[in-house]
Amino acid sequence: MTTDVRRLAVPPKPRRPRALLGAGVLAAALVVAHVIAWDATDFSPAALADGWTGMADFLGEAFPPDLSWGVLGPSLEAALVTLWIGLLGTTLSIPFALALALLAARGTTPSGWIYQLARSVLSFLRAVPEVVFALIFVTAVGLGPFPGVLALVFHNVGVMGKLWAEAIEDADPGPATALRSAGASRVQVATHALLPLVTPQLFGLLLYRFDVNVRSSLVLGLVGAGGIGFLINQSIKLFRFDQMLTHILVVLVLIILVDQLSALVRRRLGDNA
């Protein structure tokens, strides 16, 4: 009994020269881009080395920090205001971000043109920095924490709406498909299939944005939007670098506490999942 053995043709090897050529072109383009960026930004390690004396004088005037209660007390109060700005800027943006996220996700948007419109709105809000929004609202409503909250709300809607829309689109399509086949509407699919699946991920992204917004609210204070950033700006203008260092240390403690709180909430969510 004989068995015929058929020899299968060996598939041709992929054309590596073309792949190597593409990688070489990409590497050359990156090198050229970095050379142009180096020249356009006046990047100069020599200038940094020559300025070490000024940096030493700055640090000498900043140390030791002024820890008197006349400086530390207002610094702690302003740090709390910074925390409240970040908190309100995050939570007040939730309903708007969620609505735009549902309209900007392919599985929940009513139509293609609404999808494109929602994506465009999110892109615009995300493209305008918080500082620009803060300058606009400071002009509109005056100095203080309120324009900082408004700036964070507008920018955070764009960022968080985009992140939530992508999370909804990446959800398991099985439950949504089953509900659609049973005749469920888009609202029912979103509320009973998609949102329950991605809620832990949405909450994790919300905590991340709260962390970022607390840091951003510090910068907003530099343009008059309240908080401890305003005190840092005042200290720099008055050349009171010892007070500035006190405010920076308070900011450091605030950021560490926010990080620990976010980590604790994430662990509790993971335990309950």
Side-chain angles (χ1 to χ4, degrees), residues 135-195:
L135 290 172
I136 295 173
F137 288 120
V138 164
T139 305
V141 301
L143 299 174
F146 182 46
V149 173
L150 294 176
L152 286 182
V153 168
F154 274 73
H155 183 76
N156 197 60
V157 166
V159 176
M160 202 159 62
K162 173 69 160 46
L163 295 175
W164 282 2
E166 292 180 349
I168 293 172
E169 286 188 345
D170 293 338
D172 182 9
T177 303
L179 282 181
R180 289 193 191 97
S181 63
S185 64
R186 291 183 179 272
V187 175
Q188 291 172 327
V189 170
T191 56
H192 294 89
L194 293 177
L195 289 180

Side-chain angles (χ1 to χ4, degrees), residues 20 26 28 34 50 67-68 91 96 101 103 106-107 126 150 207 214 259:
L20 292 176
L26 178 60
H34 279 78
D50 293 338
L67 298 178
S68 62
T91 56
F96 308 103
L103 295 176
R106 295 187 184 277
R126 194 170 64 255
L150 294 176
L207 288 176
V214 171
D259 286 340

Side-chain angles (χ1 to χ4, degrees), residues 5-156:
V5 178
R6 299 180 62 184
R7 294 184 178 181
L8 298 176
V10 178
K13 294 183 179 180
R15 296 181 178 181
R16 289 190 174 182
R18 182 176 297 178
L20 292 176
L21 178 62
V25 172
L26 178 60
L30 287 175
V31 171
V32 172
H34 279 78
V35 171
I36 296 175
W38 187 289
D39 180 68
T41 57
D42 296 327
F43 194 87
S44 176
L48 180 62
D50 293 338
W52 71 271
T53 54
M55 295 175 62
D57 293 340
F58 174 80
L59 293 176
E61 295 180 12
F63 285 94
D66 187 353
L67 298 178
S68 62
W69 185 248
V71 176
L72 187 58
S75 183
L76 293 174
E77 293 179 4
L80 284 177
V81 172
T82 297
L83 179 62
W84 304 144
I85 293 174
L87 178 65
L88 288 179
T90 304
T91 56
L92 294 181
S93 64
I94 290 176
F96 308 103
L98 182 58
L100 285 173
L102 292 173
L103 295 176
R106 295 187 184 277
T108 55
T109 186
S111 61
W113 71 269
I114 292 180
Y115 171 84
Q116 294 297 336
L117 178 61
R119 287 277 174 168
S120 299
V121 172
L122 292 177
S123 297
F124 170 75
L125 295 177
R126 194 170 64 255
V128 180
E130 303 98 323
V131 175
V132 176
F133 276 127
L135 290 172
I136 295 173
F137 288 120
V138 164
T139 305
V141 301
L143 299 174
F146 182 46
V149 173
L150 294 176
L152 286 182
V153 168
F154 274 73
H155 183 76
N156 197 60

